[in-house]
Amino acid sequence: MAANIAKEVKKVTRSPRLQKAAIKLTETATQRLQELLTKRDTEFIRLGVKTRGCNGLSYTMSYTNQKGKYDELIEQNGVRVLIDPGVLMHVIGTEMDFVTDRLRSEFVFNNPNSKGECGCGESFTV
């Protein structure tokens, strides 16, 4: 009887859960990132966070062709973004957008974990 139960347990398999992406890229962000990656002939954009600015933390972006062993890979609409593992906790749930108006063209990060931002929007605190 125990053998039959063990066989039945083995038969029940769970489908792998889809993992929600750490960040979401808007369509305008993916378009702009694709332009930048194509222009630089680069495979990935690396998203990071550094300690600086008047509110403590600031987003960084750089080009890279190498994925680190523990980097989080986000793929959306053909764009591949790497997130440094040490800053993952600061960016989970963030939406990355690209905004263009008469005064500026920039990436904007809407981070639900942010407790505050400086007046210019360059830095944040979690």
Side-chain angles (χ1 to χ4, degrees):
M1 183 165 168
N4 289 338
I5 293 173
K7 286 180 184 178
E8 291 299 318
V9 170
K10 286 183 181 179
K11 286 182 186 177
V12 177
T13 57
R14 293 184 183 177
S15 58
R17 288 187 181 187
L18 293 176
Q19 186 176 357
K20 188 175 179 182
I23 65 169
K24 180 181 182 258
L25 307 172
T26 64
E27 187 175 329
T28 55
T30 56
Q31 289 172 354
R32 181 62 179 150
L33 288 171
Q34 188 63 52
E35 290 171 13
L36 294 171
L37 289 168
T38 302
K39 189 183 290 187
R40 296 283 293 240
D41 192 29
T42 309
E43 227 177 306
F44 305 104
I45 292 283
R46 180 177 302 282
L47 177 64
V49 174
K50 287 194 176 185
T51 304
R52 68 173 177 212
C54 45
N55 228 9
L57 301 170
S58 182
Y59 297 102
T60 62
M61 292 174 56
S62 60
Y63 300 100
T64 186
N65 283 317
Q66 296 182 348
K67 181 184 181 299
K69 184 176 181 179
Y70 300 107
D71 286 343
E72 181 79 16
L73 174 64
I74 308 297
E75 283 191 72
Q76 194 173 324
N77 298 335
V79 172
R80 300 187 324 167
V81 177
L82 298 175
I83 302 174
D84 291 326
V87 302
L88 192 56
M89 64 183 174
H90 297 298
V91 298
I92 287 183
T94 299
E95 179 186 71
M96 182 178 173
D97 194 10
F98 184 73
V99 177
T100 303
D101 59 28
R102 289 179 21 178
L103 297 175
R104 64 189 175 137
S105 292
E106 65 183 356
F107 286 101
V108 175
F109 297 89
N110 300 312
N111 188 338
N113 305 310
S114 176
K115 302 294 182 212
E117 295 179 351
C118 65
C120 63
E122 289 293 318
S123 62
F124 67 101
T125 187
V126 179

